[in-house]
Structure formats: C-alpha cells, structure tokens
C-alpha cells in the first residue's frame, strides 16, 4: 500500500512553515551575535526567504525578538504555570522539578543565550527590558514564589519569606547559565559539570527549606 501523501501544494506548505523558520533563524542569530548586531536581512537569508517576506510576519526587529521569546521561554513558563496549578505533588518535589526543568529546557539550551543577551545589552534597549521583565522574569519569579508559599501553607517548608528566598534559589541557576554561555566559550574559568552542580545545589536548597525535624545532616 502506498503511504498517504500531503496533497497541499509545496508552496503552501512552505508558506505555513515560514513564521517558525524565521523564529528559529532569529533565535540562532540573536544568540550568536546579540540583539544590536543581528540584522533582519541576515535572519531572512538564514531562513531562506527575502527580507520583504520577513516583514509580512514581523514589523521590526523588536517585534521579531518578542515573538522569539514568547514562542520559546514564554511557552515553557506557560506550561510550568499549568503544571503547577494541576499538581498535588509534595512541594519539595515540585520545586526540584521546576528548577530542573528551567535548567533542562532553557539553561542547558541555546535559549540561555537570550538571558545572556538581556544581561549584556539591556542598557541600550529599555523597551525590551520592560518586555522581558513582564513576560519572563516576573512570571518565572512568581512561579517560584507560588511553590514556596504552597510549601509553607502545607507545612512542608520551614518558615521563611518567599520573596527573599526566591532570588536565593534562582541565582545559582543563572550563575550556571552565565558560566556555560559567557566564560567557557571565551576560554575563561574551568568547566563545571552541570549535573553535579544542580544535584549539589538542590540537595543544599531542599535540606535548607525542610522543616527542622526533617533537615538532618548534609551528606558527606
């Protein structure tokens, strides 16, 4: 039996795929070159279309960048928000899953380059900073705070201020992202094993958050 074929004309299939191809090309170039040095004509060329075709989908470079963030990091955060609302797992397990997912889906991928880009170029693009703050940083921080508040309400975490604890938990992951994407590619610093780093960080953090009777001594 002959396998079924897609009867849609090739040019229509290609047209349907163009927005995603443009986003993928833009992500690669933003990570490689930064925001300021990325040109729309280079994005179009890498995606295999004309610059005019790119303008059919995205008004300017700022809107293209926003679309990249929404289609990648934004979607990951949105799924995490849904999963948190639906989960009945212990808060320690949920916190570990959230932090590991952050590393696996963003920190260990080319998306970490977007975080680096925002840190290094934010002073020149205040509108993008406000956008990134609203759609990435604020939402990601709120996720961590909700998990911490959940653990407090259930008696699964020792008393603490979630607003203070949130940056304490996010900073080590950001440090690992920057180390792998800023220092090592330039030949600076020594290699860090991400799996060992995350395991040690989570062991320390979860023991520190556990109720006093459950914390116990740290493993040697």
């Amino acid at each position: 039996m002959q396998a079924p074929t897609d009867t849609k004309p090739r040019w229509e299939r290609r047209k349907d795929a163009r927005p995603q191809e443009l986003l993928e090309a833009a992500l690669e170039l933003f990570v490689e070159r930064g925001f300021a040095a990325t040109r729309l004509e280079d994005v179009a060329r890498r995606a295999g279309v004309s610059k005019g075709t790119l303008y059919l989908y995205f008004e300017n470079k700022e809107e293209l960048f926003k679309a990249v963030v929404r289609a990648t990091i934004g979607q990951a955060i949105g799924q995490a928000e849904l999963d948190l609302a639906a989960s009945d797992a212990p808060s320690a397990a949920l916190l570990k899953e959230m932090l590991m997912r952050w590393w696996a889906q963003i920190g260990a991928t080319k998306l970490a380059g977007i975080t680096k880009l925002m840190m290094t170029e934010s002073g020149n693009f205040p509108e993008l900073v406000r956008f990134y703050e609203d759609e990435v940083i604020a939402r990601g921080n709120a996720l961590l705070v909700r998990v911490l508040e959940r653990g407090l309400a259930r008696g699964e975490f020792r008393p603490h201020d979630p607003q203070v604890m949130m940056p304490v938990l996010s900073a080590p992951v950001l440090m690992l992202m920057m180390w792998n994407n800023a220092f090592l590619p330039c030949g600076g610093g020594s290699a860090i094993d991400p799996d060992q780093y995350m395991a040690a960080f989570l062991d320390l953090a979860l023991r520190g958050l556990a109720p006093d009777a459950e914390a116990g001594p740290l493993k040697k």
Side-chain angles (χ1 to χ4, degrees):
M1 177 183 290
Q2 189 174 15
T5 58
D6 189 343
T7 58
K8 184 183 292 187
R10 182 179 178 185
W11 68 268
E12 288 189 15
R13 296 201 303 271
R14 172 68 175 168
K15 184 177 180 180
D16 292 343
R18 280 175 186 162
Q20 183 59 37
E21 292 172 350
L22 286 165
L23 292 177
E24 291 173 357
L27 173 60
E28 292 174 358
L29 287 169
F30 284 138
V31 170
E32 290 173 12
R33 303 179 184 180
F35 182 80
T38 294
R39 303 184 306 168
L40 290 180
E41 51 262 42
D42 294 333
V43 174
R45 186 179 303 111
R46 183 165 295 194
V49 302
S50 69
K51 186 177 178 180
T53 298
L54 186 151
Y55 278 115
L56 294 176
Y57 301 98
F58 305 104
E59 181 179 356
N60 50 46
K61 187 166 67 170
E62 289 76 12
E63 292 305 313
L64 176 60
F65 178 82
K66 291 177 182 179
V68 168
V69 172
R70 287 176 177 140
T72 54
I73 303 175
Q75 284 193 8
I77 294 175
Q79 186 59 55
E81 290 169 339
L82 293 174
D83 292 345
L84 172 59
S87 177
D88 193 40
S91 297
L94 188 56
L95 180 60
K96 180 178 180 179
E97 178 187 351
M98 291 288 180
L99 290 169
M100 285 301 300
R101 181 187 296 188
W102 177 15
W103 171 251
Q105 294 184 352
I106 299 173
T109 73
K110 68 177 67 175
L111 292 175
I114 297 294
T115 303
K116 175 189 172 185
L117 181 156
M118 293 308 302
M119 288 184 170
T120 57
E121 299 194 52
S122 59
N124 297 320
F125 304 100
E127 180 187 348
L128 291 186
V129 171
R130 289 190 291 270
F131 160 78
Y132 198 77
E133 168 66 30
D134 291 341
E135 301 213 13
V136 175
I137 298 175
R139 290 174 66 193
N141 288 348
L143 262 175
L144 283 179
V145 168
R146 287 203 292 273
V147 176
L148 293 169
E149 290 175 340
R150 179 183 187 272
L152 286 172
R154 292 184 171 203
E156 296 172 330
F157 291 153
R158 67 191 304 171
H160 66 275
D161 184 339
Q163 294 292 343
V164 174
M165 187 61 66
M166 175 270 296
V168 173
L169 292 173
S170 60
V173 186
L174 285 170
M175 179 270 175
L176 182 59
M177 290 168 62
M178 294 303 98
W179 190 269
N180 280 357
N181 285 275
F183 294 110
L184 289 184
C186 297
S190 56
I192 296 176
D193 184 300
D195 293 334
Q196 292 182 355
Y197 178 99
M198 290 297 295
F201 158 58
L202 289 169
D203 182 66
L204 186 64
L206 295 177
R207 287 178 179 274
L209 285 168
D212 290 342
E214 300 178 20
L218 289 175
K219 295 179 181 179
K220 294 184 179 179

